Amino acid sequence: MASEDVKRSESAVTTIVNLAEEAKLASEGVKAPSRAFLSICKSLVAGGVAGGVSRTAVAPLERLKILLQVQNPHSIKYNGTIQGLKYIWKTEGFRGMFKGNGTNCARIIPNSAVKFFSYEEASKGILYLYQQHSGNEDAQLTPVLRLGAGACAGIIAMSATYPMDMVRGRLTVQTEKSPRQYRGIFHALSTVLREEGPRALYKGWLPSVIGVVPYVGLNFAVYESLKDWLIKSKPFGLVEDSELGVVTRLACGAAAGTVGQTVAYPLDVIRRRMQMVGWKDAASVVTGDGKSKAPLEYTGMVDAFRKTVRYEGFGALYKGLIPNSVKVVPSIAIAFVTYELVKDVLGVELRISD
């Protein structure tokens, strides 16, 4: 009887232990997707906030850059950074400085959210494949692999939000003297669809795809590589406890932005000019107030390059580069730092809630 009682007790204990393990596994199985989902949301929110804050901070320079890129070469209104900003202030006031910024934020918030999230996921996937291929589980991403991850993220984000970028370009160059006004994002989208067809929403998409590879790719590659180098070498006492300060991160972001935008800038000019093609009752800055020649029509990216260089010279491919350089350095730097700071804040909140 005693031996039977012992066996029954052991059986009961084993059953309880098994049930406890199953409950633990089940609990972990429920929590894992929840944490993964929160991690995804954290990346998306951080990316969106980073994009909105950085673009709003440099909105006047962003608008001036586009005006310089697309203005009629036979009727120059904007002639340099300082003069251009003064002219906008004089003719359109404070609101003119931020014209198109609402549309830009509506576009850049989902764009940045998708871009940063895509970069993190692409980096994980590429790193996993690289470790499997090399047989080294401790291998880290090289600058070339970061370039690939950044390029993938840029293409995905840009393609997903390109129609909004196209209408944002047109809204940005509108002035009070434009023959007809787009009243907002949805009015512009519906007007373009009705008058020019759905393909018009992707005018300039090809140079954007080509340009986004060096631009976004180099941004991420240079930024991450600089961070890693600084953390490992610790020059000039810039690193404390394997962490970079905000100022150092700003400098890394500024360097990344400068390299990326310089390489890809001519493609950005061509993209903007292609977006203006086929615009009925186009803005006066594009047509030259009807006093001069109408803007050139382009049949494609190569034709746009050829005509721009032929009629305006090679320097036309870099119109607006100065305000863009002034803009892109703080913009990219603020975006990277804001992204990481928001992620840190959300990470703390998530840990507290756990």
Side-chain angles (χ1 to χ4, degrees):
M1 290 290 293
S3 62
E4 288 180 0
D5 289 339
V6 169
K7 288 180 180 180
R8 287 173 184 171
S9 298
E10 289 177 349
S11 177
V13 170
T14 302
T15 301
I16 292 171
V17 170
N18 289 337
L19 288 172
E21 289 180 351
E22 288 178 5
K24 181 181 178 183
L25 290 172
S27 174
E28 289 177 349
V30 170
K31 287 183 179 179
S34 176
R35 291 185 178 181
F37 177 74
L38 288 174
S39 178
I40 291 171
C41 289
K42 183 171 72 171
S43 293
L44 290 172
V45 170
V49 172
V53 170
S54 64
R55 290 307 174 102
T56 300
V58 296
L61 290 166
E62 173 70 13
R63 186 181 182 218
L64 178 61
K65 179 202 76 170
I66 296 175
L67 289 168
L68 287 168
Q69 287 177 334
V70 304
Q71 74 174 336
N72 191 302
H74 303 285
S75 180
I76 301 296
K77 296 180 179 179
Y78 309 94
N79 189 19
T81 306
I82 303 300
Q83 182 275 336
L85 290 173
K86 285 182 177 178
Y87 186 82
I88 294 172
W89 180 270
K90 180 181 178 181
T91 57
E92 302 179 66
F94 179 79
R95 292 184 62 185
M97 290 287 191
F98 291 86
K99 185 170 287 186
N101 185 56
T103 309
N104 194 25
C105 287
R107 176 193 70 87
I108 204 63
I109 288 175
N111 180 282
S112 290
V114 173
K115 182 170 63 180
F116 278 102
F117 172 68
S118 299
Y119 176 72
E120 291 200 350
E121 295 305 306
S123 297
K124 292 175 186 176
I126 290 173
L127 179 59
Y128 174 78
L129 293 174
Y130 179 58
Q131 290 174 340
Q132 295 296 313
H133 180 74
S134 63
N136 180 11
E137 293 185 357
D138 296 325
Q140 298 297 317
L141 286 174
T142 65
V144 174
L145 293 177
R146 288 198 180 103
L147 180 68
C152 290
I155 291 172
I156 291 169
M158 184 273 299
S159 298
T161 59
Y162 192 81
M164 295 182 71
D165 179 70
M166 189 270 186
V167 299
R168 192 266 298 199
R170 293 192 176 185
L171 284 164
T172 298
V173 302
Q174 281 190 155
T175 64
E176 299 302 322
K177 295 181 180 179
S178 297
R180 187 177 62 182
Q181 298 282 319
Y182 290 132
R183 294 192 296 271
I185 304 174
F186 297 109
H187 180 248
L189 284 169
S190 62
T191 303
V192 172
L193 278 172
R194 183 176 65 255
E195 296 183 352
E196 302 174 50
R199 290 184 62 184
L201 293 174
Y202 282 87
K203 285 179 178 177
W205 179 82
L206 182 58
S208 297
V209 170
I210 297 172
V212 83
V213 175
Y215 181 67
V216 178
L218 285 171
N219 276 345
F220 280 111
V222 173
Y223 181 74
E224 295 292 346
S225 298
L226 273 176
K227 276 178 55 183
D228 287 350
W229 176 75
L230 288 171
I231 289 172
K232 290 176 182 177
S233 61
K234 299 181 178 180
F236 312 113
L238 295 174
V239 182
E240 297 181 3
D241 300 325
S242 297
E243 289 291 332
L244 296 179
V246 172
V247 175
T248 306
R249 285 192 236 175
L250 279 170
C252 291
T258 301
V259 173
Q261 66 96 20
T262 302
V263 172
Y265 194 78
L267 288 158
D268 187 55
V269 172
I270 296 302
R271 170 183 63 148
R272 288 297 174 202
R273 295 190 167 202
M274 291 180 70
Q275 288 177 347
M276 303 300 142
V277 172
W279 184 2
K280 183 181 178 182
D281 297 327
S284 57
V285 68
V286 178
T287 61
D289 291 329
K291 298 176 183 177
S292 307
K293 297 178 181 179
L296 291 170
E297 295 290 324
Y298 308 116
T299 58
M301 181 182 71
V302 175
D303 184 53
F305 267 109
R306 182 174 56 83
K307 288 180 178 177
T308 298
V309 174
R310 174 187 292 179
Y311 296 111
E312 301 176 57
F314 183 78
L317 296 175
Y318 285 90
K319 283 186 174 180
L321 179 62
I322 293 176
N324 189 65
S325 298
V326 176
K327 167 193 76 72
V328 79
V329 172
S331 177
I332 296 295
I334 292 169
F336 275 114
V337 174
T338 303
Y339 175 72
E340 293 191 354
L341 290 176
V342 172
K343 276 193 69 179
D344 290 343
V345 170
L346 292 176
V348 170
E349 290 180 351
L350 288 175
R351 286 192 289 274
I352 291 174
S353 64
D354 288 344

